[in-house]
Amino acid sequence: MNDASPNPWLVLRTRSRQENVVQEVLRQRQIHSYLPKHREAAKPTETALFPGYIFVQPRPEQVSALRTVRGSCGLLMSCGRHAQVAANDVLAIRIMVGSGAPLDVHADLVAGQPMEVIAGPFKHAQGQFVSVGRQRRLVINLHLIGRGLSVEIDAAHVRPLANAA
């Protein structure tokens, strides 16, 4: 679970419902990866938090091997290059998933003010603070895969990021 690797986080797309198969192949090939999962209220098993995507942190010599992973559809591209996800975003997802709190994934969220959590189980996570109805939510937008991750959080537990203008 150590994300201190100098290698960037990339996004590997998977075929429908093949996330676990791909994750196992990556494990066997010793390619560092992260498949965030959550438990939906209506389902007894854990499911992929972002269906169709797995975060990978391959060493440079492992990147070409990602093309032959059974169940995968290749790396997500942006402007002709492998799309990268900031290590802070992956860390924030790990913190939120690890908390055990109910999470919602959103495909279309309006960007809000950048915030940092300063207290509670999500301490150190960064994201955008938005209002969803009467509930206050911390939202981590993953622009590269067109999704956002949100969790209920007490407004007293967040503060604006110092470098946000």
Side-chain angles (χ1 to χ4, degrees), residues 17 27 60 73 75 78 103 113 117 119 122 124-125 134 163:
R17 295 184 291 279
R27 187 193 64 74
C73 297
L75 289 168
S78 176
L103 301 173
Q113 183 176 13
V117 180
F122 310 114
H124 302 300
R134 292 185 173 192
N163 60 354

Side-chain angles (χ1 to χ4, degrees), residues 44-139:
T45 59
E46 286 188 325
T47 59
L49 188 60
F50 305 107
Y53 300 98
I54 295 179
F55 300 102
V56 294
Q57 197 176 34
R59 294 185 307 271
E61 67 273 13
Q62 294 175 316
V63 172
S64 63
L66 293 172
R67 288 187 289 234
T68 62
V69 172
R70 188 182 72 199
S72 75
C73 297
L75 289 168
L76 194 64
M77 303 295 283
S78 176
C79 300
R81 301 169 74 179
H82 296 134
Q84 296 184 13
V85 177
N88 281 343
D89 288 345
V90 175
L91 176 60
I93 294 166
R94 285 185 187 274
I95 291 169
M96 295 172 93
V97 168
S99 74
L103 301 173
D104 294 320
V105 177
H106 304 275
D108 55 347
L109 290 171
V110 177
Q113 183 176 13
M115 305 294 276
E116 178 182 19
V117 180
I118 57 173
F122 310 114
K123 187 174 182 177
H124 302 300
Q126 295 180 1
Q128 295 173 344
F129 196 63
V130 299
S131 177
V132 178
R134 292 185 173 192
Q135 300 173 342
R136 299 278 184 206
R137 314 279 285 179
L138 176 71
V139 177

